[in-house]
Structure formats: C-alpha cells, structure tokens
Amino acid sequence: QTCALPISAGYANAAVTDIEHPGLLQTVQADVIYVHAFHAAADQVQLDGGFMQKVNTMATGNSAAGAQVQAVAEAQEQVADEIVRTLRAQGLNAVRSDAPAPANVNALIVDGDFRKIDEGTSRRRLLVGLGAGKSEVAVQVRVAYQPAHGAAVPLQTFVANADSGHMPGVAE
C-alpha cells in the first residue's frame, strides 16, 4: 500500500509514480513516524519570473540566489509540516524532526529529495489560466523502518508530482 503523503496539499493535480518496495515484506509496527525535511538545492528552484515578482525582488534588495535559498527553506518546511499534519489527522503518531531516530523506539522514517520546485508565473495563472504559469513540485520520497536498537531498512520509495492545475483565469 502506498503511503499517501500530502505533497499535493494546495495543488490541483497530484500523482504518485515509480513505486518500489525494496525492504521488508512483513508488516512493521512503529511507535512513531519521524518526518525529515526533504533535501533540495537552491539551484533546483525556478522562481516566479513574472514582472511583479521582479519588482518585488528589486524593491526588497534580495538577489535571485537569496530568493532561491528562501524558496527551498519554505518548501522543505511546508512539505514536512503538511505530511506530519496529515498523518496526525489519521490518528498516527508523527513527529517533525531532522535528528536521527532514538535507538530505543521502533520508527518509520520519511525523507526524500526535491526533484523540481517551480513557482510558475502568478500573473499568467491569474490572467490566462488553463494551466498557463502553473507551479509544480516533484519529490522522490523514501520510507524506512528502524527497529529499536537496529539499523534502518528501506520499505518504499516513490515519486510524487503536484501542480497547480488548470484553474480558470481572467481571460476565461
């Protein structure tokens, strides 16, 4: 069964692909689920290239590189926090932490890598719609099981993609 992580929160279209089950075949019993910030590099970020965003960048004195670093940090926190919220809403004991899991607990560990962070163009989304200027996020997710006093065993990996979809714009 796929761990339906909420990478798609706030997005109209989401898909999970490339599901692999490299680890244990039996059911695991975890006391807690630790969700780590997903790894990303600032150069993976495609910033909103719209006119208003460029004006805002000039007015605040931020560089494009600084904006990319900020966008990565925001994406990492938002995705990890949303995964924790969703898991807790399902009655699961989920914790947001980047520290290693304590040795004395049975834990699921969720982490991953951003493959794409594209802010799209807000002006095109507003004016044109129909998918023009859409924002996109893609991540590779890893779920591992770490038994008490044992080494982590990979359970599942998959790719999740989400975008802002084909919302109507002013032109419609």
Side-chain angles (χ1 to χ4, degrees), residues 49-107:
F51 176 72
M52 290 308 294
Q53 184 63 31
K54 289 177 184 176
V55 169
N56 184 38
T57 300
M58 290 188 312
T60 60
N62 290 338
S63 67
Q68 287 175 308
V69 168
Q70 182 179 351
V72 163
E74 289 173 4
Q76 289 174 311
E77 291 305 312
Q78 287 174 355
V79 167
D81 290 347
E82 185 60 29
I83 291 170
V84 168
R85 271 192 297 278
T86 299
L87 292 172
R88 285 180 179 168
Q90 295 174 7
L92 300 170
N93 182 17
V95 176
R96 170 70 183 90
S97 174
D98 289 322
N104 62 340
V105 298
N106 295 316

Side-chain angles (χ1 to χ4, degrees), residues 110-133:
V110 179
D111 73 352
D113 300 299
F114 281 94
R115 291 181 160 192
K116 181 178 194 173
I117 303 172
D118 184 347
E119 293 184 342
T121 306
S122 55
R123 182 171 177 249
R124 287 184 57 131
R125 279 193 303 275
L126 176 67
L127 296 177
V128 179
L130 299 170

